[in-house]
Amino acid sequence: MTTVLTAPGAAPAPARRSARARARARTLAWCAVTAALLLWLTGLALGTGQVKMSVGEALRALAGLGDPGNVLVVRQFRAPRVVSALIAGAGLAVAGSMLQRLFRNPLASPDTIGVTGGASFGATLMLATGASQAMIPLAALGGGLLAALLLGGFAWRSRMAVTRLVLVGLAVQQGLAAAVNLMIVRFPAELATSAMQWTTGSLYGRSWPEVWAAGGAIALTATGAFLVNRRVCVLDLGDDSAGGLGLRPNRDRLWLLLLTIALASLAAALTGPVAFVALAVPHLVRLLAGPPTVATLALTALVGSVLLLSSDLLVLHVLPVHGLPVGSVTATLGAPWLLWLMIRQGRLPQRNDS
């Protein structure tokens, strides 16, 4: 009879496999529930307005079926805004999840490391020059990369640890926000209004050309994020372990950061710098589904879409303020969440020391 020896306190292999299977089943169940909720919210958003439709009628109109008037209203006027919310919400959430893992800091997000500030700076500068709307995604991407260069330059000069780069990112974000405000003050009145609405995060006036341009780029970069998830999982083990498994941690982390920054910048180019979606959603998914996997990354994308679309529904049909940007709703929801995270992070070392 053969005796299998295990390390003290280690769970037997069948128990570990069973725990992984339960975690996978739980994640897939949450994905199914969230996808169903997202489908219902999409039909609700497409069917709510002056021309009212049921969820089923709105979804059929989106597919080009049913009453021609409903098809025109849904496809021409409502669908670009809804699709923008779905794509940008997923992109911001996935970018936030990747940044938190790469920086090893739960407060890392495009909002706190300067990426959305850079995207706002690039897009606002493009508005100031009178360029076409088609150039705004490229300008926002350039602004996000500029913020990344500033962040990397400051970190390299001070040789700061990756886990503390969020502090530098906050300074970069505030500096770029000040530059954006200065440009807005100097704008003519008609441009200042447009820029102010864009920089607070808004889905107003989205058009199909914008959706196809920025949305297609977001879809490609998000696909890339899913494809490289295995490398991120290896980096999660630490630089020494990742190097032992064949990766070059510094080089790989740099390329992954560039991919993530591009994803966040493109999402900001489509909707403006919508706050707190990228910060809050990864934490919520970890509470629901546990440690990060490809399945939890898919759940992160779904929850991001749900959060941004439901916030836009509140703006359009529940809150009494006309023309309120969707970013104001997500910021209102996210501010208490950020405060709770900061308090929790401040208490964690005390708990570990005791």
Side-chain angles (χ1 to χ4, degrees):
M1 180 177 178
T2 303
T3 302
V4 179
L5 298 178
T6 60
R16 291 197 298 270
R17 286 195 295 268
S18 177
R20 285 197 296 267
R22 288 195 301 270
R24 190 180 302 113
R26 182 174 66 248
T27 303
L28 293 176
W30 276 115
C31 284
V33 170
T34 309
L37 175 61
L38 187 60
L39 182 63
W40 178 77
L41 284 172
T42 300
L44 183 64
L46 292 173
T48 305
Q50 290 184 350
V51 180
K52 296 188 181 297
M53 306 170 221
S54 67
V55 171
E57 289 173 338
L59 293 176
R60 285 195 298 272
L62 181 63
L65 305 174
D67 182 82
N70 289 348
V71 173
L72 176 65
V73 169
V74 167
R75 285 189 158 188
Q76 189 68 27
F77 301 108
R78 296 178 182 173
R81 180 167 184 150
V82 171
V83 174
S84 297
L86 297 178
I87 295 175
L92 286 170
V94 170
S97 176
M98 296 278 287
L99 285 173
Q100 288 174 13
R101 294 169 66 185
L102 291 171
F103 279 84
R104 301 174 192 167
N105 191 319
L107 298 179
S109 78
D111 313 321
T112 57
I113 69 167
V115 174
T116 54
S120 298
F121 177 79
T124 306
L125 186 62
M126 191 60 62
L127 285 172
T129 62
S132 66
Q133 292 287 324
M135 295 299 296
I136 288 182
L138 290 177
L141 176 58
L145 293 176
L146 171 64
L149 287 174
L150 291 173
L151 180 65
F154 288 136
W156 179 77
R157 286 181 64 86
S158 60
R159 301 190 181 277
M160 185 175 293
V162 172
T163 52
R164 300 188 63 187
L165 283 179
V166 172
L167 297 175
V168 180
L170 286 170
V172 171
Q173 178 84 356
Q174 293 305 311
L176 290 170
V180 169
N181 290 333
L182 179 61
M183 283 191 289
I184 290 175
V185 170
R186 302 291 297 178
F187 274 179
E190 62 275 10
L191 283 179
T193 302
S194 175
M196 279 295 293
Q197 188 175 42
W198 194 92
T199 55
T200 52
S202 176
L203 293 165
Y204 176 76
R206 298 302 94 187
S207 63
W208 280 120
E210 293 172 324
V211 173
W212 289 121
I218 291 169
L220 286 176
T221 49
T223 301
F226 277 91
L227 293 176
V228 300
N229 183 71
R230 185 179 294 273
R231 286 181 176 270
V232 183
C233 291
V234 175
L235 288 173
D236 286 341
L237 301 175
D239 288 357
D240 292 338
S241 298
L245 292 172
L247 296 186
R248 295 182 179 179
N250 292 333
R251 186 197 65 180
D252 289 336
R253 185 174 285 109
L254 174 62
W255 286 112
L256 291 170
L257 279 173
L258 289 175
L259 175 67
T260 306
I261 288 167
L263 176 58
S265 300
L266 289 166
L270 186 58
T271 62
V274 178
F276 291 108
V277 173
L279 177 65
V281 170
H283 291 279
L284 178 60
V285 170
R286 277 194 289 272
L287 288 175
L288 294 175
T293 62
V294 173
T296 58
L297 196 60
L299 180 59
T300 300
L302 290 171
V303 175
S305 297
V306 166
L307 177 59
L308 190 52
L309 184 57
S310 57
S311 297
D312 194 46
L313 279 169
L314 287 175
V315 165
L316 285 176
H317 307 296
V318 177
L319 298 178
V321 182
H322 177 70
L324 190 68
V326 69
S328 60
V329 175
T330 58
T332 302
L333 295 174
W337 181 270
L338 177 60
L339 181 61
W340 177 80
L341 281 178
M342 294 179 71
I343 294 173
R344 183 172 180 268
Q345 284 298 112
R347 289 178 178 175
L348 282 178
Q350 296 176 7
R351 291 177 183 173
N352 291 336
D353 292 342
S354 61

